[in-house]
Amino acid sequence: MDDYSNTEKIFYPSRKLSTQHAPAGFDPSVGDITWYAPWGNVALFYKDFGYSRGLISLGKITSGIEAFTVNGSITVTFELVAE
């Protein structure tokens, strides 16, 4: 994931996600995983940010967000964990 604006880490997945039935926008906070439909990227916020049109919530990291606050790019693996 690449750093963007010292606020979030982003990457561009190989397939675009559907925005059907998605809200018009979202107000992300620390730990939110989002889809930014206009650019087609996934963003993980490590700092609070304001409402953005086209931003869609996908989930939230509940612990370990400090791993994303490092300068530059990082390598990550996303896994769905059943609880």
Side-chain angles (χ1 to χ4, degrees):
M1 298 185 84
D2 297 318
D3 197 73
Y4 186 78
S5 195
N6 293 316
T7 303
E8 60 193 278
K9 298 288 191 203
I10 67 168
F11 75 92
Y12 292 86
S14 57
R15 293 186 306 143
K16 290 194 175 201
L17 302 178
S18 171
T19 58
Q20 187 176 6
H21 305 296
F26 182 66
D27 184 1
S29 60
V30 173
D32 283 323
I33 302 168
T34 64
W35 172 255
Y36 187 53
W39 293 357
N41 69 285
V42 172
L44 188 149
F45 287 84
Y46 60 86
K47 289 184 182 173
D48 283 337
F49 195 71
Y51 178 87
S52 294
R53 190 162 177 75
L55 197 62
I56 301 165
S57 175
L58 299 177
K60 188 165 190 86
I61 291 180
T62 56
S63 66
I65 193 67
E66 61 278 354
F68 294 88
T69 63
V70 298
N71 290 332
S73 299
I74 59 172
T75 301
V76 300
T77 301
F78 287 95
E79 293 182 68
L80 180 60
V81 177
E83 292 188 39

